[in-house]
């Protein structure tokens, strides 16, 4: 079992920045890939970024490349999402995700979500 708690959302003006945090706890957390997803009103949940605990390999959605940075602090078991140059399209509930695949089985854990609102 993995527990995820997000924080850091809020209201920001277009062009501004926010940093989201995801505190991770539970057994074998290092075996999970960590990611951020978001869901805007009336939209499907979409991938934002992912990072591996071990070597820190990252991947980003095209819509956030060059503006968002995912990172992790192994000592604090925390994953971050630094968001710069925010625009109205980034308004959404952001969810932290822990993903693991074991054989044919996939395991996903989600946080409760944190709202990010970008005003124009």
């Amino acid at each position: 079992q993995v527990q995820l708690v997000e924080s850091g959302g809020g209201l920001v003006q277009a062009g501004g920045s926010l940093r989201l945090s995801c505190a991770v706890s539970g057994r074998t957390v290092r075996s999970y890939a960590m990611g951020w997803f978001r869901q805007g009103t009336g939209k499907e949940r979409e991938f934002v970024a992912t990072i591996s605990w071990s070597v820190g390999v990252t991947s980003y959605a095209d819509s956030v490349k060059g503006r968002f940075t995912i990172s992790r602090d192994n000592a604090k078991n925390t994953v971050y999402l630094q968001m710069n140059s925010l625009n109205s399209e980034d308004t959404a509930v952001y969810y932290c995700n822990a993903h693991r695949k074991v054989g044919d089985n996939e395991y996903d854990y989600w946080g409760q979500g944190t709202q990010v609102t970008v005003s124009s």
Side-chain angles (χ1 to χ4, degrees):
Q1 193 79 340
V2 176
Q3 293 79 42
L4 309 172
V5 179
E6 302 105 330
S7 61
L11 175 64
V12 63
Q13 289 189 334
S17 300
L18 278 176
R19 188 177 80 157
L20 306 182
S21 299
C22 175
V24 187
S25 60
R27 297 176 56 192
T28 64
V29 295
R30 292 288 186 271
S31 62
Y32 288 80
M34 300 302 304
W36 288 95
F37 288 70
R38 66 186 182 185
Q39 187 167 18
T41 303
K43 299 180 180 179
E44 293 187 355
R45 190 171 298 189
E46 64 176 1
F47 166 76
V48 175
T50 189
I51 189 168
S52 64
W53 277 114
S54 54
V55 296
V57 174
T58 60
S59 178
Y60 297 92
D62 288 343
S63 58
V64 306
K65 278 181 182 176
R67 300 188 299 122
F68 290 12
T69 303
I70 189 171
S71 63
R72 85 274 190 239
D73 186 326
N74 288 354
K76 295 182 178 179
N77 272 9
T78 301
V79 178
Y80 303 99
L81 185 68
Q82 177 66 44
M83 306 184 294
N84 299 327
S85 301
L86 287 161
N87 58 60
S88 58
E89 294 295 309
D90 298 316
T91 294
V93 177
Y94 284 70
Y95 296 91
C96 183
N97 168 263
H99 176 77
R100 180 184 181 188
K101 186 173 182 179
V102 181
D104 293 333
N105 298 314
E106 297 195 38
Y107 302 88
D108 280 285
Y109 295 94
W110 297 91
Q112 81 285 357
T114 185
Q115 176 71 47
V116 172
T117 303
V118 183
S119 63
S120 55

